[in-house]
Amino acid sequence: MAKAGAGFAMSKAKETAGRSSETLRSSYGAGQSAAWKATGGGNDVGAGEAGAAGEGAGGASQSSSPPAWAERMQRKQAFHHGVSTAAHTVRSGDHGGGSMSVSLNQDDHR
């Protein structure tokens, strides 16, 4: 019964995470479209650095690295994932049960 309840809770959590991911994607797309329209289709990011190289390649230069906020978000998610994994490992180690180790006893008497 407990496994069924845990499975139900996990499926609801995954469903909620999927919805929030879709919401984030649609918000990102809407913001991207609005920014594109507001700038007249131009990309001013790194304009001083790219200069003529960006214009020679088609006018709109693209940054090769993600923005700082995206890197911070990725680091934060990786940190929280590590904390969650460590907590799960500690909890699972606290449970009793059969050992997974092999007996190294060389005694042939059984």
Side-chain angles (χ1 to χ4, degrees), residues 65-76:
S65 63
W69 65 265
E71 290 177 342
R72 285 192 307 270
M73 185 173 71
Q74 187 176 17
R75 276 194 305 270
K76 184 177 179 180

Side-chain angles (χ1 to χ4, degrees), residues 71-94:
E71 290 177 342
R72 285 192 307 270
M73 185 173 71
Q74 187 176 17
R75 276 194 305 270
K76 184 177 179 180
Q77 286 176 341
F79 175 77
H80 285 295
H81 178 70
V83 168
S84 176
T85 301
H88 175 72
T89 302
V90 169
R91 272 182 299 198
S92 65
D94 287 343

Side-chain angles (χ1 to χ4, degrees), residues 8-105:
F8 178 74
M10 285 301 291
S11 69
K12 285 297 182 185
K14 287 180 182 178
E15 181 181 323
T16 302
R19 276 197 308 257
S20 65
S21 175
E22 286 301 317
T23 302
L24 186 61
R25 265 194 211 105
S26 65
S27 295
Y28 174 80
Q32 184 180 27
S33 296
W36 191 257
K37 289 175 186 174
T39 61
N43 183 0
D44 295 335
V45 176
E49 298 168 6
E55 293 172 6
S61 64
Q62 296 220 350
S63 177
S64 61
S65 63
W69 65 265
E71 290 177 342
R72 285 192 307 270
M73 185 173 71
Q74 187 176 17
R75 276 194 305 270
K76 184 177 179 180
Q77 286 176 341
F79 175 77
H80 285 295
H81 178 70
V83 168
S84 176
T85 301
H88 175 72
T89 302
V90 169
R91 272 182 299 198
S92 65
D94 287 343
H95 296 315
S99 173
M100 294 298 292
S101 63
V102 177
S103 173
L104 299 177
N105 190 1

